[in-house]
């Protein structure tokens, strides 16, 4: 539905979905790890992937929602952008 509504290729949406899964797996590994060096490596990898994902999601998805006629779509984009900014600031 989103793909048709926004004219976004399905592969791009699948890539964004896969990014979520990869970051979630890295967070799980990070929590489980007791080795400081490994945790630092996992954190750096998670941070890199998360930043790349957030920027891609902003460009591909949220920009189009920001231009939508629907108030709900614009609100969704605004909230997503804010969440990404909070995460980047915290990391």
């Amino acid at each position: 539905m989103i793909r048709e509504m926004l004219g976004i290729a399905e592969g791009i949406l699948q890539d964004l979905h896969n990014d979520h899964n990869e970051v979630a797996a890295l967070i799980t590994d990070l929590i489980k790890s007791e080795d400081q060096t490994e945790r630092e490596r996992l954190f750096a990898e998670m941070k890199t992937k998360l930043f790349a994902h957030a920027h891609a999601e902003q460009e591909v998805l949220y920009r189009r929602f920001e231009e939508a006629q629907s108030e709900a779509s614009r609100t969704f984009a605004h909230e997503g952008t804010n969440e990404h900014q909070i995460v980047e600031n915290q990391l």
Side-chain angles (χ1 to χ4, degrees), residues 13-30 45-46 49-50 53 57:
L13 293 176
Q14 186 62 50
D15 289 345
L16 290 173
H17 176 73
N18 293 344
D19 288 348
H20 281 246
N21 292 338
E22 287 179 29
V23 169
L26 286 167
I27 291 170
T28 298
D29 292 345
L30 181 62
E45 183 179 354
M46 183 226 29
K49 287 185 183 247
L50 194 56
H53 167 82
E57 193 169 60

Side-chain angles (χ1 to χ4, degrees), residues 2-66:
I2 291 174
R3 175 175 43 102
E4 293 86 7
M5 187 171 78
L6 299 174
I8 298 173
E10 186 172 335
I12 294 169
L13 293 176
Q14 186 62 50
D15 289 345
L16 290 173
H17 176 73
N18 293 344
D19 288 348
H20 281 246
N21 292 338
E22 287 179 29
V23 169
L26 286 167
I27 291 170
T28 298
D29 292 345
L30 181 62
I31 291 169
K32 289 179 181 178
S33 178
E34 295 183 14
D35 179 69
Q36 182 66 30
T37 302
E38 177 70 3
R39 289 176 66 113
E40 289 172 1
R41 185 194 67 74
L42 289 166
F43 183 80
E45 183 179 354
M46 183 226 29
K47 186 176 170 182
T48 298
K49 287 185 183 247
L50 194 56
F51 284 173
H53 167 82
H55 293 174
E57 193 169 60
Q58 183 68 38
E59 291 298 317
V60 170
L61 192 61
Y62 294 156
R63 287 221 192 275
R64 293 197 178 153
F65 275 115
E66 288 169 353

